Amino acid sequence: MIDARKFTELYQTVYRDLYRFALCMMHHTQDAEDAVSEAVLSAYENVHKLRKEEAFRSWIFQILTNVCRKKLKAAERTEAELKEEHATTELGDGMREDVRRAFFVLTEEEQFIVALSVFGGYNSKEIGEMHHLNANTVRSKRKRALEKMSLILEK
């Protein structure tokens, strides 16, 4: 059984990656913060369902993935609103913006696969288990997504 202290310890090992992942998916800092907060609250309330402590990282990322999906489906944003939000966030150098634009061209599934791989540090098998896909399918989808981004970045 995981108590509040242990939950806090486990959370401290993943909180940065959770935020980066949520920011990548939600495209706005406040939305990312809200998604992480909601996911952590849900995880804490349901920690009794976690069977193995070693599975915490994967488990909480799955919760966050579900929260992000729910929020993205609920939010009806126009492209103009997204551009306006991007203009108000800190973008850093031009390459960062180019990569971000290339990432947004990907389908939602491709974004999840790339984000879980890059920000979450998950391998194809783990991502496949989270999204009920074969590991080879995940590798193929990730490869195609990265190639798509590469083509966009070459322009």
Side-chain angles (χ1 to χ4, degrees), residues 1 24 29-30 34 41 52 60 67-68 79 95 112 115:
M1 181 81 173
C24 186
T29 56
Q30 289 174 324
D34 290 346
L41 179 61
K52 293 184 212 171
I60 199 165
V67 168
C68 287
E79 195 162 313
M95 184 62 170
F112 280 111

Side-chain angles (χ1 to χ4, degrees), residues 103-118:
F103 183 78
F104 293 149
V105 169
L106 302 178
T107 66
E108 182 179 310
E109 181 181 47
E110 290 169 333
Q111 288 179 356
F112 280 111
I113 289 171
V114 170
L116 284 170
S117 172
V118 174

